Amino acid sequence: QVQLVESGGGLVQAGGSLRLSCVASGRTSSSYVMGWFRQAPGKERELVAAIRWSGSTYYGDSVKGRFTISRDNVKNTVYLQMNSLKPEETAAYYCAQGPRGYITATAGEYDYWGQGTQVTVSS
């Protein structure tokens, strides 16, 4: 089993920044892809960013240039730095552990999920 615990969410004004953290424990490994998803009420869960063990990354089109994903394999922690936040990005943000080796945007291919952290962006 793998446990993922997110932190760092909160209330921020439009244009502000937040940094999310996700600590992994249990039967985890740096060889797995780690992803950040978000889900707003009434909408599907979408992949925001993901990172491979090598450091290669994926970003959704709407966050490119504003969000940065990184990982510290020693600390088993993944970060999501979010800048220039917009009100429409208000959502629950989830950390997830995906497959080994390749990045996928399909939520069903991620086996373990955190409990989520709420991000609210006010206008």
Side-chain angles (χ1 to χ4, degrees):
Q1 289 291 325
V2 174
Q3 294 78 42
L4 302 173
V5 179
E6 305 103 330
S7 61
L11 174 64
V12 63
Q13 287 188 334
S17 298
L18 283 174
R19 188 194 196 204
L20 306 183
S21 299
C22 171
V23 179
S25 60
R27 296 176 65 87
T28 187
S29 164
S30 60
S31 63
Y32 290 101
V33 166
M34 296 299 295
W36 283 99
F37 286 77
R38 66 187 177 192
Q39 187 168 22
K43 294 189 176 181
E44 290 189 359
R45 193 166 293 193
E46 65 169 341
L47 179 65
V48 174
I51 187 167
R52 296 177 63 207
W53 68 272
S54 62
S56 61
T57 57
Y58 162 90
Y59 294 97
D61 288 341
S62 64
V63 306
K64 286 179 181 176
R66 298 185 298 117
F67 289 14
T68 303
I69 189 171
S70 60
R71 68 190 298 169
D72 183 330
N73 291 331
V74 174
K75 296 181 178 180
N76 286 335
T77 302
V78 181
Y79 304 97
L80 184 68
Q81 177 67 44
M82 305 185 294
N83 298 328
S84 302
L85 282 161
K86 305 174 182 180
E88 56 265 37
E89 295 180 308
T90 293
Y93 283 69
Y94 298 90
C95 173
Q97 179 176 290
R100 279 192 168 106
Y102 67 93
I103 290 176
T104 173
T106 303
E109 294 192 61
Y110 289 73
D111 293 326
Y112 295 98
W113 294 80
Q115 80 287 353
T117 186
Q118 179 67 34
V119 172
T120 302
V121 185
S122 63
S123 56

